[in-house]
Amino acid sequence: MEVGERLKARRNELNLTQDQVADSLGITRQTMSNWENGRSYPDIERVIRLSELYALSLDELLKGDQKMVRHLQENTVVNHFLKLFIGMLLVNVALMVVLMLVQSMSETFLFMIFALIGLNTLSLFYLIIKKI
């Protein structure tokens, strides 16, 4: 059984309407319908709240639905953090390459590139500290 089917079955067992569940989660009834029909998936925060509302463990709710598990993995904060971190590292590398290639440019231009590298590096440190 997929997550959507479990959500619908449990909602019906508890004699709740889609509107009631949607209101308690702060979503629209259409969103709830999309989840139950497998057209979209809830985010991790809503999965946890559904688990609590329906008195189901996360394991009971997610077990066997690999698409849902993949969806949650792709949308976690960790993946977002890593993508942002890698992107910022690539910007730093690109700026360093520009700095090496344009050594014959004015000192002001070189200083601006160096300052951008420094700011980006500080931003990377901020992300690391914030994550820890």
Side-chain angles (χ1 to χ4, degrees):
M1 185 184 294
E2 297 205 1
V3 170
E5 294 168 340
R6 279 190 201 93
L7 291 175
K8 186 173 185 175
R10 186 62 177 161
R11 179 179 56 78
N12 288 330
E13 288 172 15
L14 297 172
N15 294 320
L16 295 171
T17 65
Q18 284 183 339
D19 283 321
Q20 290 170 320
V21 175
D23 285 343
S24 69
L25 296 175
I27 59 171
T28 64
R29 186 204 55 77
Q30 291 83 5
T31 299
M32 190 68 209
S33 175
N34 286 339
W35 293 348
E36 288 183 358
N37 293 309
R39 288 190 290 268
S40 64
Y41 294 108
D43 59 20
I44 188 66
E45 178 186 338
R46 298 270 169 30
V47 168
I48 293 169
R49 290 175 62 195
L50 281 164
S51 170
E52 292 167 353
L53 180 66
Y54 288 170
L56 293 172
S57 71
L58 289 173
D59 187 50
E60 290 172 306
L61 190 58
L62 301 175
K63 195 170 202 150
D65 193 340
Q66 294 304 314
K67 286 172 69 176
M68 176 65 176
V69 172
R70 251 182 280 129
H71 168 77
L72 291 173
Q73 287 171 338
E74 292 169 357
N75 292 302
T76 60
V77 175
V78 172
N79 284 339
H80 175 71
F81 171 80
L82 288 175
K83 289 176 186 174
L84 183 61
F85 188 79
I86 290 169
M88 292 178 75
L89 280 176
L90 290 174
V91 167
N92 248 13
V93 170
L95 287 170
M96 286 185 229
V97 168
V98 168
L99 189 60
M100 288 188 297
L101 293 177
V102 292
Q103 291 176 357
S104 62
M105 294 300 236
S106 71
E107 287 181 15
T108 305
F109 180 76
L110 293 175
F111 178 76
M112 286 176 22
I113 296 291
F114 186 77
L116 286 173
I117 292 170
L119 286 173
N120 198 38
T121 302
L122 287 174
S123 298
L124 285 168
F125 283 128
Y126 173 75
L127 278 177
I128 293 168
I129 291 169
K130 184 178 169 187
K131 190 64 183 169
I132 294 172

